Amino acid sequence: PWTTEWVMAGSHFVQNYWFISLLVITALAVGIKHALKQPKIRFWWDDRVLHMPGFGKVARGINTARFARTLSILSSSSVPLLEGMRISGGVLANKKMKKSVADAADRVSEGASLRAALQQTKLFPPMMLHMIASGEASGELDSMLERTARMQENTLQAKITAIVGLFEPLMLLLMGGVVLIIVMAIMLPILN
């Protein structure tokens, strides 16, 4: 049966080519790591990460929470908004978001509000933008940024907990599928 042939071919491949496979995987990992050090490739990769289903929201949440937390601390320490935005953009891990925040800082220096500048990036969640607008209107931007950062961190923690919660059942299903294929590969020739 095809399952038996497939399992035997996989076993022969691992026995005969395990060293070459290990070398190829290692070379691939080193090559990817080296490629991601190139600025253009890293920018392209970070842009792709932000649009990945599921993982993109987590990456965006990590960076927006970090931005809001840093800007909140700087704003409460009486650092000017433009300088605070530039410093807060510098702590972001994602190059695409870092460039978007730098562009937003340029728009703020031209007279735009912080909310309008961040909204044009299309990377920040609407609730965060609404709270920033409320903070700008009331003159309590630093406290609203603090509240926004806390809200973003709580949302991010809930998403990570949900993903980890889904990981265990998915691993059980995957391992169950592998065991089923191996059992079928052994039992089908006997039954036939």
Side-chain angles (χ1 to χ4, degrees), residues 56-88:
K57 287 185 177 182
V58 172
R60 194 176 296 183
I62 289 169
N63 285 288
T64 54
R66 189 177 291 170
F67 174 79
R69 174 72 62 199
T70 307
L71 190 58
S72 165
I73 292 168
L74 293 170
S75 180
S76 65
S77 301
S78 301
V79 174
L81 181 62
L82 281 174
E83 189 177 340
M85 285 184 72
R86 289 191 175 101
I87 293 169
S88 299

Side-chain angles (χ1 to χ4, degrees), residues 137-169:
S138 66
E140 296 182 7
L141 183 61
D142 54 347
S143 64
M144 289 307 268
L145 283 168
E146 165 69 29
R147 193 176 299 173
T148 300
R150 197 172 334 111
M151 183 185 73
Q152 284 293 108
E153 288 164 355
N154 291 341
T155 303
L156 181 64
Q157 186 65 37
K159 284 180 185 175
I160 291 172
T161 303
I163 289 170
V164 169
L166 286 173
F167 187 70
E168 186 178 335

Side-chain angles (χ1 to χ4, degrees), residues 55-128:
F55 189 70
K57 287 185 177 182
V58 172
R60 194 176 296 183
I62 289 169
N63 285 288
T64 54
R66 189 177 291 170
F67 174 79
R69 174 72 62 199
T70 307
L71 190 58
S72 165
I73 292 168
L74 293 170
S75 180
S76 65
S77 301
S78 301
V79 174
L81 181 62
L82 281 174
E83 189 177 340
M85 285 184 72
R86 289 191 175 101
I87 293 169
S88 299
V91 302
L92 299 179
N94 189 291
K95 300 290 185 193
K96 168 72 173 171
M97 288 193 76
K98 193 179 279 193
K99 182 173 182 336
S100 297
V101 168
D103 294 343
D106 291 340
R107 283 192 285 279
V108 168
S109 70
E110 294 168 359
S113 69
L114 177 60
R115 182 203 61 81
L118 292 178
Q119 187 175 22
Q120 286 184 354
T121 65
K122 296 183 175 137
L123 295 172
F124 291 86
M127 180 58 80
M128 181 178 178

Side-chain angles (χ1 to χ4, degrees), residues 8-94:
M8 289 178 66
S11 173
H12 290 307
F13 179 81
V14 170
Q15 286 176 351
N16 296 327
Y17 302 106
W18 69 270
F19 188 71
I20 294 172
S21 301
L22 185 65
L23 286 176
V24 167
I25 291 170
T26 304
L28 192 62
V30 168
I32 289 172
K33 185 176 179 182
H34 179 70
L36 287 177
K37 289 182 180 178
Q38 307 299 320
K40 287 183 179 180
I41 295 173
R42 180 59 187 252
F43 186 84
W44 175 84
W45 172 252
D46 284 347
D47 186 37
R48 294 295 111 222
V49 165
L50 291 175
H51 296 95
M52 285 181 184
F55 189 70
K57 287 185 177 182
V58 172
R60 194 176 296 183
I62 289 169
N63 285 288
T64 54
R66 189 177 291 170
F67 174 79
R69 174 72 62 199
T70 307
L71 190 58
S72 165
I73 292 168
L74 293 170
S75 180
S76 65
S77 301
S78 301
V79 174
L81 181 62
L82 281 174
E83 189 177 340
M85 285 184 72
R86 289 191 175 101
I87 293 169
S88 299
V91 302
L92 299 179
N94 189 291

